[in-house]
Amino acid sequence: MSPVKVIAIVLIIAGALGLAYGGFSYTRTSHEVKVGPVDLSLQERKTIDVPVWAGVGAILIGGALLLLARPK
């Protein structure tokens, strides 16, 4: 399988996941304090929204790459 086809398939899958879930979230540790035997940490949860146009665009670009990568 050629690298172009792999990239196209990854774009199609990423676009479909972006449309299905609408975004993703992650946890980031922002502060850590160690006072004697006590450890304290502050964790922030961040959410990143994936726009609909980005998901549709990834699917369309992946599809176009698949069509253009056909053997001649």
Side-chain angles (χ1 to χ4, degrees):
M1 188 178 287
S2 71
V4 175
K5 286 185 180 181
V6 172
I7 291 171
I9 292 171
V10 168
L11 278 172
I12 292 171
I13 292 172
L17 289 174
L19 288 176
Y21 291 110
F24 62 93
S25 62
Y26 64 94
T27 304
R28 185 180 91 167
T29 302
S30 60
H31 298 292
E32 289 188 21
V33 177
K34 294 183 181 181
V35 179
V38 179
D39 293 333
L40 299 173
S41 64
L42 178 63
Q43 295 181 344
E44 296 179 56
R45 186 170 189 147
K46 301 280 187 171
T47 301
I48 297 177
D49 296 324
V50 176
V52 173
W53 61 266
V56 172
I59 292 172
L60 291 176
I61 291 171
L65 284 175
L66 274 180
L67 290 175
L68 294 175
R70 288 188 179 181
K72 294 181 180 183

